[in-house]
């Protein structure tokens, strides 16, 4: 393996991903920054008035006060209307999210939660509301320019700037929300995130060197839940310091309960790492995430296709769009080494081994359930046949078996379900559009 192609995991990557899965962090940070910005603007306004008073230019102070008084009407209107505006906009958005989750899959709600434009819009709306309230407290009731302490001119200008930014973000937010109610942008987003996980995997050759003898196992001590990710950089650092190798026993996405073995310790002649340190590097939550979960994108694409093929929905075209993206992802993964991922320290020594889905696992995840529901839909069966044959044309010989197996099972199911030879031939004819 060439170590120059290996990308070491970032120390803060887990924290960044966890914060992206929350909706509170960005608005809270924005409110803090807006408060600091207001303090700075208030200081500038006060310094400006003090400089004019020291120069004896009270007429300029009177003019600035008149300008800011005119702006006060706008600021007052903004402060009273912004919160109502926020409530109406996001109430409509929640209805859109509910409709999208019902039409596609409940798991796509995470797209709205992780959306940068949604968080930015909500943050700027709240920041504008807070800034307008703070600016109103800075207005001086004194009419005599000699007694005026501060004229909130810069603060008012910032408020108007925030209002303009809010309007632009509102347009962008509505545009994105409408896009995410359509199946095309949703499956494209899921595919893009799946490629992101695939690209973050270490580019490496197969490592066949046996691991040292297992000396201990670390069980999960927290709450039951889904294994979302592990702090790779921390585990590699601990293993290097102790001179051992750690192996993640469950896969990312597995459900673990207290006591489930999560880490196996191999080798190491000295003391073992603290179980608390190892346990804190394992993140368990309610839902799966894309951070290190290679199969999560295929899982969501399959869910959308299965819902589309259900008798209640009966939308085979949506299922075909999902199959398009599944084939796209499998085509990209076909030439990559899959299975166990070996994370190395800066000296190139393996310190952490993590099991990821193999090629057969990905093929089964992408095709098995859809194939079972596609028998009664010629549009989907034709697209599946075309996708399987496209993949068979360029995958390595060692990876043909799962594809051939699914093609044979699909052919057998269609031949059993459809009585007429013409119907069977039509349903099994390869067609990348299904039926146009």
């Amino acid at each position: 393996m060439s170590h120059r192609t290996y990308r070491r995991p970032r120390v803060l990557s887990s924290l960044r991903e966890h914060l992206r899965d929350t909706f509170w962090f960005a608005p809270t940070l924005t409110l803090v920054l807006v408060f600091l910005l207001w303090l700075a603007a208030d200081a500038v306004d006060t310094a400006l008035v003090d400089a004019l008073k020291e120069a004896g230019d009270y007429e300029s102070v009177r003019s600035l006060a008149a300008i800011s008084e005119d702006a006060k009407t706008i600021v007052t209107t903004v402060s009273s209307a912004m919160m109502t505006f926020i409530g109406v906009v996001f109430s409509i958005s929640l209805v859109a999210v509910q409709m999208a989750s019902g039409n596609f899959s409940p798991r796509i709600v995470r797209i709205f939660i992780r959306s940068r434009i949604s968080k930015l819009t909500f943050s700027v709306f709240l920041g504008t509301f807070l800034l307008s309230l703070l600016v109103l407290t800075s207005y001086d009731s004194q009419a005599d320019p000699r007694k005026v302490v501060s004229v909130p001119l810069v603060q008012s200008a910032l408020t108007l700037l925030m209002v303009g930014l809010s309007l632009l973000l509102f347009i962008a937010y509505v545009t994105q929300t409408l896009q995410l109610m359509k199946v095309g942008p949703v499956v494209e987003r899921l595919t893009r995130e799946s490629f992101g996980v695939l690209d973050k995997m270490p580019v490496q050759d197969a490592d066949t060197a046996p691991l040292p003898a297992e000396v201990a196992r670390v069980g999960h001590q927290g709450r039951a839940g889904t294994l979302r990710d592990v702090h790779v950089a921390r585990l590699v650092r601990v293993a290097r310091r102790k001179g051992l190798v750690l192996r993640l026993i469950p896969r990312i996405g597995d459900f673990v309960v207290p006591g489930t073995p999560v880490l196996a310790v191999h080798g190491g002649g000295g003391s073992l790492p603290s179980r608390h340190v190892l346990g804190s590097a394992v993140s368990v939550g309610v839902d799966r995430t894309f951070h290190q979960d290679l199969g999560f994108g295929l899982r969501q694409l399959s869910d959308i296709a299965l819902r589309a093929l259900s008798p209640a929905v009966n939308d085979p075209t949506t299922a075909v769009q999902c199959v398009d993206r599944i084939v796209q992802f499998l085509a990209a993964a076909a030439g990559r080494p899959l299975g166990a991922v070996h994370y190395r320290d800066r000296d190139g020594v393996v310190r952490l081994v993590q099991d990821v889905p193999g090629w057969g696992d990905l093929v089964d995840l992408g095709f098995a359930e859809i194939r079972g529901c596609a028998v009664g839909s010629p549009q989907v069966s034709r697209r599946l046949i075309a996708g399987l044959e496209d993949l068979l044309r360029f995958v390595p010989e060692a990876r043909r078996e799962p594809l051939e197996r699914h093609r044979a099972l699909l052919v057998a199911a269609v031949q059993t379900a459809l009585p007429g030879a013409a119907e069977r031939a039509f349903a099994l004819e390869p067609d990348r559009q299904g039926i146009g």
Side-chain angles (χ1 to χ4, degrees), residues 103-108 190 288 296-310 318 322 326 365-366 369-370:
N103 292 335
F104 304 133
S105 167
R107 274 153 291 284
I108 70 154
L190 295 175
R288 296 169 69 175
F296 190 39
L298 292 180
R299 176 69 274 160
Q300 294 180 85
L301 290 172
S302 296
D303 287 345
I304 296 174
L306 292 174
R307 184 175 293 245
L309 291 174
S310 66
T318 293
C322 294
I326 291 172
L365 181 56
E369 295 171 296
I370 299 177

Side-chain angles (χ1 to χ4, degrees), residues 92-138:
I92 296 174
S93 301
L94 290 177
V95 174
V97 171
Q98 185 178 9
M99 292 177 59
S101 66
N103 292 335
F104 304 133
S105 167
R107 274 153 291 284
I108 70 154
V109 174
R110 58 174 301 281
I111 295 180
F112 292 87
I113 295 177
R114 289 174 61 91
S115 169
R116 289 188 175 94
I117 191 65
S118 298
K119 294 178 182 179
L120 182 60
T121 304
F122 189 54
S123 300
V124 172
F125 282 5
L126 289 179
T128 303
F129 176 68
L130 176 63
L131 182 60
S132 63
L133 293 181
L134 294 173
V135 171
L136 289 176
T137 65
S138 300

Side-chain angles (χ1 to χ4, degrees), residues 357-381:
W359 171 251
D361 299 322
L362 295 179
V363 172
D364 291 340
L365 181 56
F367 290 126
E369 295 171 296
I370 299 177
R371 172 179 53 76
C373 297
V375 176
S377 175
Q379 182 178 358
V380 182
S381 63

Side-chain angles (χ1 to χ4, degrees), residues 82-394:
M82 184 56 69
M83 207 61 190
T84 303
F85 182 61
I86 293 173
V88 171
V89 169
F90 282 90
S91 295
I92 296 174
S93 301
L94 290 177
V95 174
V97 171
Q98 185 178 9
M99 292 177 59
S101 66
N103 292 335
F104 304 133
S105 167
R107 274 153 291 284
I108 70 154
V109 174
R110 58 174 301 281
I111 295 180
F112 292 87
I113 295 177
R114 289 174 61 91
S115 169
R116 289 188 175 94
I117 191 65
S118 298
K119 294 178 182 179
L120 182 60
T121 304
F122 189 54
S123 300
V124 172
F125 282 5
L126 289 179
T128 303
F129 176 68
L130 176 63
L131 182 60
S132 63
L133 293 181
L134 294 173
V135 171
L136 289 176
T137 65
S138 300
Y139 279 94
D140 202 325
S141 60
Q142 292 290 340
D144 187 353
R146 292 177 174 80
K147 298 181 179 179
V148 171
V149 176
S150 176
V151 177
L153 189 64
V154 176
Q155 301 171 58
S156 300
L158 286 175
T159 303
L160 297 179
L161 182 63
M162 291 284 286
V163 171
L165 181 60
S166 298
L167 294 177
L168 293 176
L169 286 175
F170 173 67
I171 296 173
Y173 175 74
V174 171
T175 301
Q176 178 186 265
T177 302
L178 293 176
Q179 285 292 314
L180 292 179
M181 293 179 67
K182 300 191 299 183
V183 64
V186 170
V187 298
E188 194 276 335
R189 175 72 173 269
L190 295 175
T191 307
R192 188 169 67 247
E193 292 191 338
S194 299
F195 274 103
V197 181
L198 189 64
D199 292 339
K200 290 176 183 177
M201 292 180 59
V203 179
Q204 59 182 355
D205 298 327
D207 195 325
T208 57
L211 295 178
E214 182 179 320
V215 297
R217 287 194 171 191
V218 178
H220 175 55
Q221 300 299 322
R223 61 178 181 173
T226 300
L227 181 61
R228 300 191 300 175
D229 55 48
V230 294
H231 199 302
V232 174
R234 182 186 303 172
L235 291 176
V236 169
R237 185 171 60 249
V238 170
R240 181 178 184 274
R241 188 183 306 126
K242 297 291 184 178
L244 46 82
V245 181
L246 298 174
R247 177 172 57 87
L248 185 66
I249 298 174
R251 285 181 181 175
I252 301 298
D254 286 357
F255 191 85
V256 296
V257 298
T260 301
V262 290
L263 285 170
V265 182
H266 294 260
S271 61
L272 297 178
S274 166
R275 292 180 177 269
H276 174 73
V277 172
L278 295 180
S280 64
V282 177
S283 175
V284 174
V286 177
D287 297 314
R288 296 169 69 175
T289 69
F290 265 111
H291 184 205
Q292 297 172 0
D293 197 339
L294 185 60
F296 190 39
L298 292 180
R299 176 69 274 160
Q300 294 180 85
L301 290 172
S302 296
D303 287 345
I304 296 174
L306 292 174
R307 184 175 293 245
L309 291 174
S310 66
V313 179
N314 193 21
D315 182 14
T317 303
T318 293
V320 167
Q321 289 180 272
C322 294
V323 174
D324 292 340
R325 299 298 183 168
I326 291 172
V327 172
Q328 177 188 357
F329 179 79
L330 292 176
R336 289 176 174 260
L338 299 171
V341 174
H342 297 80
Y343 293 98
R344 302 170 183 265
D345 60 18
R346 58 193 177 193
D347 298 324
V349 179
V350 174
R351 296 300 182 187
L352 175 64
V353 178
Q354 176 184 343
D355 186 28
V356 300
W359 171 251
D361 299 322
L362 295 179
V363 172
D364 291 340
L365 181 56
F367 290 126
E369 295 171 296
I370 299 177
R371 172 179 53 76
C373 297
V375 176
S377 175
Q379 182 178 358
V380 182
S381 63
R382 288 160 64 96
R383 180 63 186 97
L384 283 174
I385 287 290
L388 289 168
E389 293 191 353
D390 286 342
L391 291 172
L392 283 167
R393 289 189 181 96
F394 60 82

